[in-house]
């Protein structure tokens, strides 16, 4: 039904753990060649070791908030894979800081990685995505910001909503180059970080989700994979919420059952 993505060149930023590693795993299994990006070498090496049984993966170190690093990431993918077909701009951070406590450094860090980093990584990959003739950009945004709020994450939410603002105009600008730009919006997803918070914390979060469970990193990977297919070529400038229905209840009463 769907045409194979075999051999396509894919970059996943923030792929050394969490959602990015899940996206990389799903793309590797689908036969693409995946370049995984993160800042810490040990974590990158471990992630590549873990996924290498699933497909063709390698890593490059880089900080997406730096233009030179983004240029190096793009050049590495071109060097190793001969081009770039798909960019999953996923790297993101979410240190909690209430509005009353936010520092200049805290604001700059979150905006630098999540928003500036997203734009810089897209910019660096543009010429190669255009050459591919079917370029795909998939941003990892969040339900936090575009749909919901959570104390401590006002700056984070602003960057995740900001990514969607960037996406809409970029989608128009890049459409005639055959490049689509879309976003996945994860709800609460089980990552290594969340696992450390314990089962009762995870259970309390799951109680707020109509499907009654947290998402997996692969759930996000499959959504990204769909947006990367040839069959999704007429979808651009849109976002796909992957949250088990979390944004739907109007009030806690909606979760009490029929
Ligand atoms: P995570 O487990 O903390 O992993 C973040 C990844 O990004 C790591 O590989 C990290 O590696 C890398 N990274 C961080 N800063 C970077 C930078 N400046 N340059 C390059 N790589 C960088 O995070 P996650 O929970 O998987 O989140 C991934 C994305 O999903 C984020 O954009 C986040 O906003 C979004 N999201 C997550 C959830 C959730 O429930 N987890 C929900 C909604 C949205 P290094 O530290 O080694 O660089």
């Amino acid at each position: 039904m769907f045409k194979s993505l075999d051999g396509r060149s894919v970059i996943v930023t923030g792929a050394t753990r969490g959602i990015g590693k899940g996206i990389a795993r799903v793309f590797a299994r689908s036969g693409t060649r995946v370049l995984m990006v993160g800042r810490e070498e040990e974590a990158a090496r471990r992630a590549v070791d873990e996924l290498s049984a699933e497909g063709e993966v390698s890593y490059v170190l880089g900080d997406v908030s730096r233009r030179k690093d983004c240029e190096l990431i793009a050049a590495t993918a071109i060097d190793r894979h001969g081009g770039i077909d798909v960019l999953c701009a996923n790297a993101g951070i979410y240190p909690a800081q209430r509005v009353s406590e936010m520092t200049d450094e805290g604001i700059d860090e979150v905006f630098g990685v999540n928003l500036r980093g997203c734009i810089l990584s897209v910019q660096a990959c543009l010429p190669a995505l255009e050459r591919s003739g079917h370029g795909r950009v998939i941003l990892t945004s969040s339900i936090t910001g575009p749909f919901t709020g959570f104390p401590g994450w006002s700056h984070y939410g602003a960057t995740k909503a900001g990514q969607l603002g960037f996406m809409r105009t970029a989608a128009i600008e890049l459409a005639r180059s055959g490049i689509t730009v879309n976003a996945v919006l994860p709800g609460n997803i089980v990552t290594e970080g969340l696992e450390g918070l314990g089962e009762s914390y995870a259970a309390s979060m799951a109680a707020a989700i109509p499907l009654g469970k947290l998402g997996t990193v692969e759930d996000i990977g499959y959504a990204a994979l769909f947006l990367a297919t040839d069959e999704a070529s007429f979808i651009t400038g849109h976002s796909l919420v992957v949250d088990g229905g979390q944004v739907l209840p109007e009030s806690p009463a909606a979760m009490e059952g029929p």
Side-chain angles (χ1 to χ4, degrees):
M1 172 99 178
F2 286 90
K3 273 188 234 146
S4 166
L5 294 179
D6 227 28
R8 299 247 169 119
S9 168
V10 179
I11 297 174
V12 184
T13 68
T16 59
R17 58 175 189 270
I19 288 175
K21 194 167 74 179
I23 296 173
R25 186 188 297 278
V26 167
F27 274 89
R29 279 180 189 159
S30 75
T32 62
R33 293 179 288 174
V34 184
L35 181 64
M36 301 165 67
V37 180
R39 293 166 302 178
E40 286 171 33
E41 178 131 45
E42 190 42 44
R45 200 175 289 141
R46 270 201 312 270
V48 164
D49 282 350
E50 186 185 327
L51 298 198
S52 55
E54 317 242 15
E56 190 179 328
V57 293
S58 65
Y59 74 84
V60 63
L61 298 181
D63 179 340
V64 295
S65 66
R66 298 189 186 154
R67 185 178 291 279
K68 282 255 168 296
D69 287 17
C70 290
E71 288 166 357
L72 172 75
I73 293 162
T76 304
I78 294 165
D79 187 45
R80 289 186 197 164
H81 305 153
I84 304 169
D85 300 295
V86 182
L87 166 66
C88 296
N90 166 81
I93 55 171
Y94 35 91
Q97 234 175 9
R98 293 210 172 222
V99 179
S100 57
E101 300 158 351
M102 237 179 251
T103 60
D104 290 356
E105 293 74 23
I107 297 168
D108 289 347
E109 190 191 8
V110 171
F111 274 75
V113 176
N114 296 1
L115 198 46
R116 185 181 140 85
C118 161
I119 296 171
L120 290 181
S121 50
V122 172
Q123 274 191 309
C125 295
L126 270 189
L129 285 169
E130 186 168 356
R131 279 197 297 278
S132 85
H134 48 234
R136 295 279 188 277
V137 175
I138 297 139
L139 314 176
T140 307
S141 173
S142 176
I143 59 169
T144 310
F147 287 99
T148 62
F150 200 89
W153 283 341
S154 60
H155 53 355
Y156 171 76
T159 64
K160 293 286 135 179
Q163 285 183 309
L164 300 188
F166 166 73
M167 172 189 76
R168 292 189 182 102
T169 292
I172 298 171
E173 289 185 15
L174 303 180
R176 297 297 163 95
S177 306
I179 301 171
T180 67
V181 190
N182 293 291
V184 286
L185 277 59
N188 282 302
I189 305 300
V190 181
T191 59
E192 296 90 331
L194 187 85
E195 275 164 358
L197 298 177
E199 269 178 35
S200 67
Y201 181 76
S204 72
M205 290 169 77
I209 301 173
L211 283 177
K213 59 180 182 181
L214 302 179
T216 67
V217 294
E218 285 83 7
D219 287 330
I220 308 305
Y222 291 122
L225 185 71
F226 165 65
L227 292 169
T229 60
D230 288 350
E231 288 75 10
S233 66
F234 203 49
I235 303 172
T236 195
H238 282 283
S239 50
L240 182 50
V241 176
V242 186
D243 72 340
Q246 188 173 347
V247 299
L248 300 177
E250 227 168 70
S251 75
M255 295 293 287
E256 281 165 17

